[in-house]
């Protein structure tokens, strides 16, 4: 950029010229565009914290964080967020059980075994999964997965956590497989060849050399995918239902944090009521969880990024 | 293999390793197919549920709470206000995102020095990309709907979606700007162009196909988003298309959500028909993006 500065100085005949002032104005306009993103973050934090403060004037933080009943709108009122966190956890862990093994094995196949042509077709095909609107996954859960589950386990409810976990798992497969494949492909061939030279088989090279060498990128992709699962909204609203409870039976309906926010969003609770304020408290909880996971993922990636370059 | 063969153990070991290798490849290939099978199942499910329900009337009539109206000999009912609403919403979002996204990317790539501030902005953008979309909905509700008193209007929805996809648009635009060779900038400076002239006449035209591709792909994500516009207050019982920036609006994903939540099994077909319309528009947008990329990308 220093080059640009010198050139500007030459063409405008020194500071204070008309061109110089015009350039400064243009630069300022572009800077404002970039600054909108900072304002967005500030706005999110301000809105969530302010709404939550109003909520916590009526509800104690201890009750919110430790209570096991959640009913801010319907009497008798109770404000324990744990059932919502439980529902979110069940769906997230369930989707991880689907996406992590399937996504990792897919990444290994695409990176180590597949022909370039196969990879060129399959990778974008899998990424279509990530581009399908989540409301479509919700519909898929209701019209396909749940009826299938009901045939296998007759006591399955119309709304249940398993269907939600399955569709969210399918949805995040491409996040795991694509990002992990990138990390595995970035492992230099020298490492593979060295292992082959020692007499290792392809299986041993894949699992003993490539996966450990790309582990930071692979784990970062897991965390990113889980963060996406926590924040996923429409699929779990439709599939898991709106019944906040701490149940160990995943075939029962539950409610996630995001589904609760949808429930308040489509209802007509009055502004200023505790129900309305609870929206922001739950939103803040959700934001804090996904933000910390995103930061961990970024940290892992930047911490180990240059290991093989 | 006789007992005297000194390599017998080794052979067995190799056989075992070969078997492990084969099983492992089979498992990995099967996993790769899981995603593809799921995609096929999803599309087949949507298509079979919607079969016969995507009619001309479905595209041109307002919705109805009565299922008979959707049936062939009914009064006629469909997705029209939501279809038009979605198109308006995306057109408005496109205007805002192109201005803000390209502006921000130009600042970060062409103007900003490697200062603390610019690396803070970059890190902030990376974080914003991971914020759940429903949180953007809350932001839109508090800032645009309430504080700016825009109400549950088309423009409030478009501004919310703009903030949501802005990080992706900025990052993809930055990549396109970075792909413009530095020699071209230097050549322009060499003949006496100012920085703004270099950006306007050299960098942006060269980067345009990449910018358009990235923006269209981001917009195709925005058109399928339900949670943010739901929080902003998109309607499900709107019978006319929006006619101005501040008029209330509906959008296709919102209608699909409404229909999919209704208990009558017939509405599942209506929801599927809505999904087919939504996915068709998504597919068209993606096709346009790929077309632009293949046509103008110097690398292909």
């Amino acid at each position: 950029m220093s080059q640009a500065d010198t050139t500007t100085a030459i063409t405008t005949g020194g500071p204070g010229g008309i061109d110089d002032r015009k350039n400064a104005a243009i630069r300022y306009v572009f800077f404002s565009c970039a600054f909108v993103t900072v304002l967005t973050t500030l706005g999110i934090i301000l809105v969530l914290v302010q709404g939550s403060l109003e909520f916590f004037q009526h509800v104690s933080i201890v009750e919110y964080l430790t209570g096991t009943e959640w009913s801010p709108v319907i009497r008798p009122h109770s404000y324990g967020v744990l059932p919502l966190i439980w529902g979110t956890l069940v769906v997230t862990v369930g989707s991880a059980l689907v996406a992590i093994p399937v996504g990792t094995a897919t990444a290994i196949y695409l990176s180590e075994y597949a022909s370039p042509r196969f990879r060129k077709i399959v990778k974008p095909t899998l990424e279509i999964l990530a581009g399908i609107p989540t409301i479509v996954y919700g519909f898929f859960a209701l019209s396909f997965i749940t009826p299938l589950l009901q045939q296998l386990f007759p006591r399955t409810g119309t709304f249940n956590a398993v269907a939600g976990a399955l569709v969210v798992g399918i949805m995040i497969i491409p996040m795991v497989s694509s990002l992990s494949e990138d990390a595995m492909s970035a492992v230099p061939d020298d490492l593979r060849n060295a292992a082959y030279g020692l007499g290792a088989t392809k299986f041993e090279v894949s699992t003993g050399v490539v996966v450990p060498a790309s582990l930071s990128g692979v784990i970062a992709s897991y965390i990113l995918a889980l963060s996406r699962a926590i924040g996923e909204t429409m699929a779990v609203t439709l599939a898991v239902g709106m019944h906040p409870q701490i149940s160990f039976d995943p075939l029962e309906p539950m409610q996630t944090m995001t589904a609760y926010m949808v429930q308040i969003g489509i209802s007509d609770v009055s502004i200023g009521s505790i129900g309305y304020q609870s929206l922001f408290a739950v939103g803040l909880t959700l934001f804090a969880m996904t933000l910390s996971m995103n930061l961990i993922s970024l940290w892992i990636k930047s911490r180990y990024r240059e290991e093989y370059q | 293999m006789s007992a005297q063969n000194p390599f017998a153990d080794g052979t067995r070991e190799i056989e075992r390793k070969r078997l492990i290798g084969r099983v492992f490849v089979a498992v990995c290939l099967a996993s790769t197919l899981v995603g593809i099978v799921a995609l096929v199942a999803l599309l087949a499910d949507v298509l079979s549920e919607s079969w016969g329900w995507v009619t001309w009337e479905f595209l041109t009539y307002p919705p109805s709470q009565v299922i008979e109206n959707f049936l062939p000999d009914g009064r006629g009912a469909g997705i029209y206000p939501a279809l038009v609403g979605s198109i308006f919403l995306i057109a408005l979002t496109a205007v805002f995102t192109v201005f803000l996204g390209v502006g921000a990317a130009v600042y970060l790539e062409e103007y900003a020095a490697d200062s603390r501030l610019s690396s803070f902005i970059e890190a902030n953008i990376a974080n914003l990309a991971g914020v759940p979309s429903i949180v953007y909905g809350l932001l839109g509700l508090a800032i645009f709907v309430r504080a700016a008193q825009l109400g549950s209007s088309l423009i409030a929805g478009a501004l919310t979606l703009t903030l949501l996809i802005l990080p992706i648009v900025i990052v993809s635009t930055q990549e396109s700007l970075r792909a413009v060779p530095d020699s071209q900038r230097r050549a322009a400076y060499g003949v006496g162009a100012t920085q703004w002239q270099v950006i306007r006449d050299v960098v942006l035209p060269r980067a345009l196909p990449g910018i358009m591709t990235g923006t269209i792909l981001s917009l195709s994500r925005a058109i399928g988003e339900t949670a943010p516009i739901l929080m902003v207050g998109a309607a499900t019982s709107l019978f006319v298309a929006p006619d101005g920036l501040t008029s209330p609006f509906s959008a296709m994903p919102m209608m699909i959500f409404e229909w999919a939540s209704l208990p009558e099994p017939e509405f599942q077909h209506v929801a599927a028909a809505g999904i087919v319309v939504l996915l068709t528009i998504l597919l068209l947008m993606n096709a346009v993006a790929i077309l632009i990329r293949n046509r103008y990308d110097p690398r292909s």
Side-chain angles (χ1 to χ4, degrees):
Chain A
M1 288 301 110
S2 65
Q3 174 158 10
D5 293 339
T6 25
T7 340
T8 317
I10 293 165
T11 50
T12 54
I18 293 172
D19 276 0
D20 217 38
R21 256 178 289 155
K22 190 180 160 199
N23 270 342
I26 290 167
R27 186 193 160 99
Y28 183 75
V29 169
F30 286 135
F31 173 76
S32 313
C33 295
F35 201 69
V36 167
T37 59
V38 177
L39 291 180
T40 306
T41 306
L42 284 179
I44 288 173
I45 294 170
L46 265 175
V47 163
L48 292 180
V49 168
Q50 200 205 352
S52 304
L53 281 180
E54 284 169 15
F55 177 75
F56 287 120
Q57 275 171 3
H58 303 282
V59 178
S60 83
I61 292 191
V62 177
E63 185 192 350
Y64 176 73
L65 290 176
T66 59
T68 53
E69 293 282 331
W70 179 255
S71 176
V73 184
I74 301 164
R75 286 170 201 282
H77 293 303
S78 49
Y79 305 102
V81 79
L82 288 181
L84 295 184
I85 292 187
W86 176 257
T88 305
L89 267 179
V90 170
V91 170
T92 307
V93 170
S95 64
L97 291 178
V98 175
I100 287 183
V102 171
T104 312
T106 302
I108 293 175
Y109 188 80
L110 291 179
S111 158
E112 303 303 310
Y113 292 94
S115 68
R117 223 186 103 192
F118 183 83
R119 176 169 53 228
K120 220 180 147 187
I121 296 170
V122 168
K123 208 177 169 189
T125 308
L126 285 177
E127 279 163 3
I128 294 176
L129 283 174
I132 289 177
T134 69
I135 184 81
V136 179
Y137 283 100
F139 174 83
F140 182 57
L142 277 184
S143 75
F144 189 81
I145 307 261
T146 298
L148 207 66
L149 285 173
Q150 279 167 335
Q151 288 193 341
L152 294 172
F153 313 98
R155 66 194 170 85
T156 309
T158 310
F159 303 105
N160 64 85
V162 176
L166 281 174
V167 284
V168 175
I170 293 169
M171 189 185 312
I172 60 176
I173 285 175
M175 286 196 79
V176 175
S177 67
S178 254
L179 296 175
S180 296
E181 202 261 330
D182 291 344
M184 290 175 192
S185 302
V187 173
D189 267 349
D190 291 355
L191 284 180
R192 291 188 186 85
N193 292 337
Y196 284 130
L198 291 173
T201 62
K202 190 145 193 168
F203 166 71
E204 287 163 340
V205 171
S206 302
T207 56
V209 176
V210 175
V211 170
S214 58
L215 205 59
S216 65
V218 173
I219 289 178
S221 83
Y222 294 169
I223 297 174
L224 223 54
L226 292 189
S227 162
R228 167 100 191 260
I230 291 176
E232 206 298 309
T233 306
M234 299 319 293
V236 295
T237 304
L238 277 177
V240 183
M242 302 194 174
H243 188 79
Q245 62 162 336
I246 299 178
S247 162
F248 291 92
D249 182 358
L251 292 173
E252 282 189 18
M254 296 181 198
Q255 187 170 39
T256 65
M257 293 188 283
T258 50
Y260 172 73
M261 293 168 75
V262 167
Q263 187 185 0
I264 295 296
I266 53 177
S267 74
D268 36 295
V269 295
S270 52
I271 301 154
S273 68
I274 295 192
Y276 181 79
Q277 291 159 356
S278 72
L279 197 55
F280 295 88
V282 174
L284 182 64
T285 315
L286 173 71
F287 178 72
M289 286 170 77
T290 53
L291 179 70
S292 42
M293 294 188 72
N294 293 334
L295 290 178
I296 293 171
S297 169
L298 281 177
W299 178 77
I300 292 178
K301 251 169 99 181
S302 67
R303 171 92 169 68
Y304 297 99
R305 183 184 292 158
E306 295 188 71
E307 204 169 359
Y308 297 110
Q309 284 176 359
Chain B
M1 270 171 273
S2 65
Q4 299 100 306
N5 187 343
F7 299 112
D9 275 356
T11 318
R12 216 173 299 139
E13 178 67 16
I14 289 171
E15 283 301 317
R16 201 178 59 89
K17 281 189 175 177
R18 275 207 187 124
L19 184 68
I20 292 176
R22 267 194 227 112
V23 170
F24 182 70
V25 182
V27 168
C28 288
L29 180 61
S31 299
T32 310
L33 297 180
V34 166
I36 295 173
V37 167
L39 180 64
V40 171
L42 185 145
L43 294 177
D45 177 51
V46 169
L47 283 177
S48 73
E49 292 281 336
S50 71
W51 200 251
W53 289 75
V54 187
T55 57
W56 181 246
E57 270 159 25
F58 184 73
L59 292 176
T60 51
Y61 276 69
S64 168
Q65 312 285 351
V66 188
I67 192 66
E68 280 74 29
N69 290 341
F70 285 94
L71 295 168
D73 41 358
R75 192 164 51 87
I79 201 172
Y80 180 71
L83 177 63
V84 176
S86 271
I87 291 172
F88 277 13
L89 200 58
I90 277 323
L92 267 177
T93 308
V95 173
F96 298 137
T97 350
V98 166
F99 177 72
L100 286 173
V102 175
V106 165
Y107 174 78
L108 291 172
E109 283 305 306
E110 305 291 326
Y111 285 97
D114 283 333
S115 66
R116 273 235 189 98
L117 179 65
S118 60
S119 54
F120 170 71
I121 294 179
E122 300 242 8
N124 181 53
I125 290 171
N127 275 327
L128 276 180
V131 173
S133 61
I134 194 161
V135 172
Y136 282 95
L138 270 186
L139 178 74
L141 173 67
I143 303 279
F144 302 127
V145 178
R146 302 246 170 271
Q149 301 198 321
L150 293 169
S152 296
S153 62
L154 199 56
I155 190 158
L159 287 170
T160 306
L161 288 180
T162 301
L163 295 185
L164 171 73
I165 61 169
L166 199 53
I168 328 172
V169 174
I170 293 175
V171 170
S172 71
T173 306
Q174 276 181 290
E175 274 164 22
S176 318
L177 295 178
R178 237 173 274 152
V180 177
D182 235 16
S183 56
Q184 301 211 349
R185 292 188 185 82
R186 285 178 202 179
Y189 282 127
V191 295
T194 64
Q195 188 167 18
W196 167 234
Q197 286 167 332
V198 171
I199 291 167
R200 189 189 57 191
D201 299 332
V202 177
V203 178
L204 283 181
R206 272 293 294 234
L208 195 63
I211 294 173
M212 283 170 68
T213 311
T215 308
I216 295 171
L217 290 178
S218 312
L219 288 171
S220 78
R221 184 183 154 195
I223 203 170
E225 282 286 352
T226 320
I229 57 163
L230 180 147
M231 297 310 288
V232 167
T236 53
S237 50
L238 206 65
F239 303 104
V240 289
D243 57 357
L245 291 183
T246 52
S247 66
F249 71 105
S250 183
M252 285 188 288
M254 194 65 206
M255 284 311 306
I256 294 166
F257 173 57
E258 163 82 2
W259 286 327
S261 328
L262 292 172
E264 295 91 338
E266 287 92 347
F267 273 111
Q268 294 304 309
H269 298 296
V270 180
I275 290 174
V276 167
V277 177
L278 176 66
L279 288 183
T280 307
I281 291 184
L282 257 167
L283 203 70
L284 286 176
M285 292 174 77
N286 280 283
V288 169
I290 292 168
L291 218 68
I292 293 174
R293 180 159 58 198
N294 288 348
R295 178 135 190 200
Y296 296 100
D297 192 348
R299 282 165 296 183
S300 65

